[in-house]
Amino acid sequence: METVCAIELKNITKRFGKVVANDGIDLKLHYGEILSLLGENGSGKTTLMNMLAGIYFPDEGEIFINGKQVSIRSPKDAYDNKIGMIHQHYKLVDVFTAAQNIILGLDDKGKLDLEAANEKVREICKRYGFDIEPTQKIYDMSVSQKQTVEIVKMLYRGADILILDEPTAVLTPQETDKLFHVLRNMRDDGKAIVIITHKLHEVMALSDNVTVLRKGRYIGTVKTSETNPQALTDMMVGRSVTLNIDRPLYENPVDRLELKNVTCLDAEGVKKLDGVSFVAKGGEILGVAGIAGSGQKELLESIAGLYPVTEGEIIFTPEGQQPSNLVGKTPMQIKKAGVAMAFVPEDRLGMGLVGSMGMTGNMMLRSWKKGKGVFVNRKDPNELALKVWKELEVVTPSTEFPVRRMSGGNVQKVLVGREIASAPSVLMSAYAVRGLDINTSYTIYNLMTEQKMKGVAVVFVGEDLDVLLELCDRILVLCGGKVSGIVDARTATKEEIGLLMTRVGGKERADA
């Protein structure tokens, strides 16, 4: 017997200028179901869900809730139809408590009863297995607790249909398991849940059905129990894709970069790195794991000369040359020495590339100082742009097309390709595949492995522990700015790394 249809979308189309983000999409979601929404970057997943959340309005098509046609023109309309969307970036007031954030903006008649709100929040938490205290301030919470507040906020408002956009992006394996347990409880209670994610192993572990979009079009819906990661990837990409990450062994790796007791303070004097020591070897990929904000960003920036080092040494040993201390050198001096940083933060364009420029212009940012007098040599950057465009299959009309108008995956390829092309001895990459579809992600993993086999020391900061365990040779775990362990990626487990991420681990393992 088929369960009640919570949402039915018919022929939903959304255009942004000449770009068709969603092209005649039909979709069904039932109560008591967890549906995963899969697709490459730019396939229209978030755009489609934003129309249910009242952020966009469809140009064509119809939306039915409980069999009745509705018009959702604002987030309030979505709330009225019992739809709640939990976005990747949480919208919470840090100085308020959990309960204050949950009731913020509600149009309750009469006097605000905070104690009654606290009690109702506790009831919701008990019912579904959430682990938050209503009176706790947001600034004292972990990332997973903040996410919990966002979910409880929707349930408090009476949402029966929940949409989660990349919900596990910054969670530890233990936090992810806890979230999945709660989502299953919500499903069993009759809620209808949509999850937008790129992590296929999570799709297989959690969802009942999977809907695949490709280039804005609906490809199909399959039962999770009747499919596998390979079949889903082929549906997303439209052709057969290899899902194996090669991890060849480099013979005789050599010490390339050594950090000795490196400590960094922020402007308020708070330690962002606390006595960090490790060695990165040429011919290996050193993964860096940790909960968001554990010092990953500061670690890479301190090596690149972008973040001041208060104490300690960063010893760099180029091939066939004497070691030198990078502390005190300018970023340009460090770059010339052979340390390149393909740092890809959430604001990809703000830090790495100039959005109004094309690929050639952005390649020229690396080489403008080589020009003589007032003239800049455009020949070399253009050759490099063409090379990156061809080899990394960047989807763009030309090398002069503004990068801000490219999809996130193509922006990533331009940035990583430019850094690799500088032939560094040390290549540092942070979140190089954040938010990328599986096909683009594997392209970048292979690029990292190619560099490793050329004797480059690759430092790879990542969020997906499955990928770190499959791609890296060793994994350094950061917790609160300190090294809580270094493990052999070939023998370590996700659970072991998850414990180290929350400082419930031992010292460095002997086999690392």
Side-chain angles (χ1 to χ4, degrees):
M1 180 179 159
E2 190 174 271
T3 54
V4 180
C5 196
I7 291 174
E8 185 174 3
L9 305 180
K10 291 185 178 179
N11 195 38
I12 294 293
T13 299
K14 181 65 182 173
R15 302 180 188 87
F16 296 98
K18 292 181 180 178
V19 177
V20 182
N22 293 133
D23 188 359
I25 290 180
D26 296 331
L27 181 71
K28 284 185 179 181
L29 172 70
H30 297 89
Y31 290 113
E33 174 191 6
I34 297 176
L35 176 73
S36 287
L37 196 55
L38 271 182
E40 292 189 279
N41 290 100
S43 61
K45 304 181 300 295
T46 303
T47 300
L48 186 66
M49 291 300 105
N50 277 338
M51 283 186 274
L52 285 175
I55 294 168
Y56 297 142
F57 189 76
D59 298 322
E60 296 171 23
E62 301 164 314
I63 298 174
F64 294 85
I65 307 289
N66 300 325
K68 179 185 170 188
Q69 187 173 346
V70 298
S71 176
I72 303 175
R73 293 183 173 273
S74 69
K76 185 183 182 304
D77 289 344
Y79 284 143
D80 291 345
N81 283 289
K82 299 193 171 184
I83 299 171
M85 184 165 178
I86 294 90
H87 298 270
Q88 279 180 274
H89 308 294
Y90 311 136
K91 296 168 176 61
L92 300 170
V93 181
D94 272 3
V95 294
F96 283 7
T97 65
Q100 286 170 334
N101 271 281
I102 287 164
I103 63 174
L104 188 64
L106 285 177
D107 187 21
D108 286 337
K109 301 288 187 285
K111 187 180 177 184
L112 173 66
D113 188 346
L114 195 55
E115 192 48 54
N118 286 341
E119 193 53 43
K120 187 175 176 184
V121 170
R122 287 192 184 96
E123 284 175 18
I124 292 171
C125 291
K126 185 177 179 183
R127 181 173 182 177
Y128 296 111
F130 291 111
D131 183 24
I132 57 163
E133 171 53 46
T135 58
Q136 188 178 356
K137 301 274 190 184
I138 298 298
Y139 60 70
D140 281 333
M141 290 186 175
S142 66
V143 176
S144 66
Q145 287 176 310
K146 290 177 184 176
Q147 184 185 66
T148 299
V149 173
E150 289 281 21
I151 297 172
V152 174
K153 188 200 294 185
M154 297 305 161
L155 294 172
Y156 191 98
R157 286 161 161 74
D160 288 329
I161 301 162
L162 288 110
I163 303 162
L164 292 89
D165 192 358
E166 298 283 352
T168 64
V170 289
L171 303 185
T172 66
Q174 287 83 354
E175 289 167 340
T176 298
D177 289 343
K178 202 180 289 184
L179 173 66
F180 284 5
H181 176 70
V182 169
L183 292 176
R184 290 186 188 106
N185 287 343
M186 289 163 61
R187 174 194 61 193
D188 296 343
D189 193 46
K191 304 292 184 189
I193 301 168
V194 180
I195 292 199
I196 303 171
T197 181
H198 289 296
K199 300 178 180 179
L200 291 177
H201 61 279
E202 293 181 358
V203 170
M204 300 304 297
L206 180 66
S207 61
D208 301 299
N209 294 295
V210 186
T211 292
V212 177
L213 302 184
R214 188 197 311 147
K215 295 180 180 176
R217 293 183 176 175
Y218 173 81
I219 300 302
T221 299
V222 294
K223 285 187 176 181
T224 311
S225 59
E226 296 174 2
T227 189
N228 57 65
Q230 184 66 59
L232 290 173
T233 305
D234 294 349
M235 279 179 76
M236 279 195 292
V237 180
R239 56 185 166 82
S240 185
V241 176
T242 304
L243 285 182
N244 293 324
I245 299 177
D246 288 330
R247 181 166 47 189
L249 203 59
Y250 183 84
E251 294 296 326
N252 304 318
V254 294
D255 293 357
R256 191 66 72 215
L257 189 73
E258 183 178 8
L259 273 70
K260 296 181 179 178
N261 198 35
V262 170
T263 299
C264 296
L265 308 178
D266 67 10
E268 280 76 44
V270 177
K271 283 186 179 179
K272 290 296 183 179
L273 293 178
D274 188 358
V276 170
S277 299
F278 67 88
V279 174
K281 299 174 183 288
E284 74 160 8
I285 299 178
L286 176 68
V288 180
I291 297 167
S294 295
Q296 301 96 312
K297 178 174 177 283
E298 290 80 8
L299 175 66
L300 296 201
E301 289 188 1
S302 65
I303 296 170
L306 297 170
Y307 204 94
V309 175
T310 311
E311 291 176 32
E313 294 178 302
I314 301 173
I315 307 299
F316 174 52
T317 310
E319 186 73 46
Q321 296 180 39
Q322 290 299 309
S324 63
N325 189 359
L326 299 183
V327 175
K329 286 187 165 65
T330 66
M332 189 59 74
Q333 288 171 330
I334 292 171
K335 205 173 278 186
K336 282 182 177 176
V339 179
M341 183 166 77
F343 181 67
V344 187
E346 286 180 25
D347 182 10
R348 300 165 181 142
L349 295 176
M351 189 166 176
L353 301 168
V354 177
S356 58
M357 288 183 177
M359 287 178 65
T360 300
N362 276 287
M363 299 300 162
M364 200 155 48
L365 292 176
R366 266 208 163 282
S367 57
W368 66 272
K369 286 202 169 185
K370 294 177 184 175
K372 294 184 173 68
V374 295
F375 298 103
V376 176
N377 177 9
R378 287 183 64 88
K379 186 183 174 187
D380 291 347
N382 194 47
E383 286 176 358
L384 176 56
L386 288 168
K387 184 181 178 188
V388 171
W389 185 17
K390 182 182 176 184
E391 291 186 6
L392 300 191
E393 299 177 356
V394 179
V395 180
T396 178
S398 74
T399 55
E400 302 301 326
F401 188 74
V403 295
R404 65 179 158 75
R405 293 175 62 189
M406 296 181 191
S407 73
N410 289 302
V411 169
Q412 220 99 318
K413 288 179 183 179
V414 173
L415 185 52
V416 174
R418 185 185 71 185
E419 299 305 315
I420 288 174
S422 65
S425 297
V426 178
L427 176 65
M428 298 185 293
S429 166
Y431 311 118
V433 296
R434 176 180 275 169
L436 293 190
D437 59 73
I438 192 123
N439 198 29
T440 306
S441 298
Y442 275 75
T443 300
I444 290 184
Y445 301 149
N446 292 333
L447 282 172
M448 297 296 166
T449 301
E450 281 175 22
Q451 292 304 299
K452 170 184 114 170
M453 296 311 289
K454 289 178 181 176
V456 174
V458 180
V459 181
F460 185 89
V461 177
E463 293 166 324
D464 191 330
L465 292 188
D466 289 284
V467 169
L468 287 174
L469 286 166
E470 202 177 337
L471 174 70
C472 303
D473 298 285
R474 290 184 302 145
I475 299 173
L476 167 84
V477 186
L478 287 175
C479 180
K482 293 183 178 180
V483 176
S484 58
I486 301 175
V487 299
D488 185 337
R490 288 174 170 81
T491 57
T493 64
K494 273 172 66 174
E495 291 69 29
E496 181 182 357
I497 296 170
L499 291 172
L500 288 170
M501 286 165 73
T502 50
R503 206 184 277 291
V504 189
K507 295 179 181 177
E508 179 173 340
R509 275 173 33 170
D511 60 350

